[in-house]
Amino acid sequence: MRTTLFTAALTGLLSSTAAQSTTTPGYDDCNNTISSTVPANKTLSFGQHYAVLNLDLINALVSSVATTSEGESFISNTADWINAVHAQTPAPLSIFTRIFFSNSHKPEIGPATPFAQVGGALGTASSNMTAIYPAFYVNDTAGDVVLQKTRYYAGAGNGLEEILRAQQIDTVILSGIRTSGVILSTAYRLFDLDYKVYVIANNTIETPPNTPDINTNILEGILPKVPIDVITIEQAIAALKVSGPAVY
Ligand SMILES: *[C@@H]1O[C@H](CO)[C@@H](O)[C@H](O)[C@H]1NC(C)=O
Ligand SMILES: *[C@@H]1O[C@H](CO)[C@@H](O)[C@H](O)[C@H]1NC(C)=O
Ligand SMILES: *[C@@H]1O[C@H](CO)[C@@H](O)[C@H](O)[C@H]1NC(C)=O
Ligand SMILES: *[C@@H]1O[C@H](CO)[C@@H](O)[C@H](O)[C@H]1NC(C)=O
Ligand SMILES: *[C@@H]1O[C@H](CO)[C@@H](O)[C@H](O)[C@H]1NC(C)=O
């Protein structure tokens, strides 16, 4: 039973299946443009109390798309964004999440928790598969935070909400992998907790199979209807320049 679950989890989470070589990740690129919910002529600002959420950018997930052209664009756009955020003076609050379990028993999921089917193949903090992918720079000097998480939602089993509240954050800007996993789950939850939520379309990606329709439907259909703003990386970087000085 345990073996079956973990095998299923590996198949769902990692890229090493034959099926994935015949499908491509869902991504907004030159072939699949996503419409922003913010008009091109509107000056967008994140204000002063914003936090940048970089979700599940771990080796297991990112390396599963890294060899595709969509994955390369996702990685380079997300890294550009992270670096642009670090270049702000003062640097705003950046929070990264990693999926990992407290020890080899994986007590957070046990043998039969539903999340075990998608995340159960991952290991502990010391597993390279759960480490932040090397293209993404965690700047300790800037005060970047890295949180453990053990479900889809970015705040599951950690201090995310406490940190956002204590820092009086009112706006969050989301990047991460997968659009249908951590992005959707976190966007809904933080919307309900009264945060203004932005998702950077170029910094999200949907792993195969059944993409890119899922990615497009989430970014152009579901999120705008909530309403959660879906913006381009160009708009996000332009907004950084008129936002702040960030309070953190
Ligand atoms: C766009 O589609 C063309 C033709 O199918 C393909 O060669 C190219 O790699 C695609 N571009 C991206 C960024 O996926
Ligand atoms: C970001 O996404 C938008 C919308 O799909 C696209 O027009 C733009 O070219 C992308 N930017 C980059 C740098 O990939
Ligand atoms: C932005 O463009 C829309 C649609 O073209 C137009 O109605 C609106 O007046 C413009 N707003 C500004 C501030 O230019
Ligand atoms: C960890 O994984 C990343 C991404 O697959 C790889 O680039 C790196 O070399 C690995 N590091 C170690 C110590 O295995
Ligand atoms: C890291 O953050 C510090 C403090 O904000 C900043 O001075 C430094 O340039 C950053 N480093 C990089 C590589 O972004």
Side-chain angles (χ1 to χ4, degrees), residues 150-198:
T150 54
R151 293 291 187 278
Y152 277 125
Y153 168 48
N158 62 38
L160 177 68
E161 289 176 24
E162 182 180 60
I163 291 170
L164 295 178
R165 196 168 53 241
Q167 296 303 321
Q168 300 181 303
I169 297 299
D170 57 27
T171 300
V172 291
I173 305 119
L174 275 50
S175 300
I177 180 170
R178 303 181 280 135
T179 319
S180 66
V182 68
I183 293 291
L184 196 55
S185 178
T186 304
Y188 266 98
R189 183 70 186 134
L190 295 183
F191 177 90
D192 274 349
L193 290 172
D194 303 334
Y195 292 93
K196 174 68 190 165
V197 179
Y198 292 93

Side-chain angles (χ1 to χ4, degrees), residues 27-29 32-35 73 77 201-202 232-234:
Y27 186 68
D28 67 308
D29 53 31
N32 192 28
T33 304
I34 300 286
S35 333
S73 299
N77 280 325
N202 311 70
T232 65
I233 185 164
E234 289 82 5

Side-chain angles (χ1 to χ4, degrees), residues 73-85:
S73 299
F74 163 73
I75 291 168
S76 97
N77 280 325
T78 306
D80 286 351
W81 166 246
I82 289 170
N83 295 339
V85 170

Side-chain angles (χ1 to χ4, degrees), residues 216-232:
T216 305
N217 290 341
I218 293 169
L219 295 177
E220 288 198 327
I222 296 171
L223 291 175
K225 188 155 188 177
V226 175
I228 284 162
D229 273 314
V230 177
I231 58 176
T232 65

Side-chain angles (χ1 to χ4, degrees), residues 77-101:
N77 280 325
T78 306
D80 286 351
W81 166 246
I82 289 170
N83 295 339
V85 170
H86 286 149
Q88 299 305 298
T89 310
L93 171 59
S94 286
I95 300 176
F96 292 73
T97 55
R98 293 172 56 193
I99 307 168
F100 65 84
F101 305 106

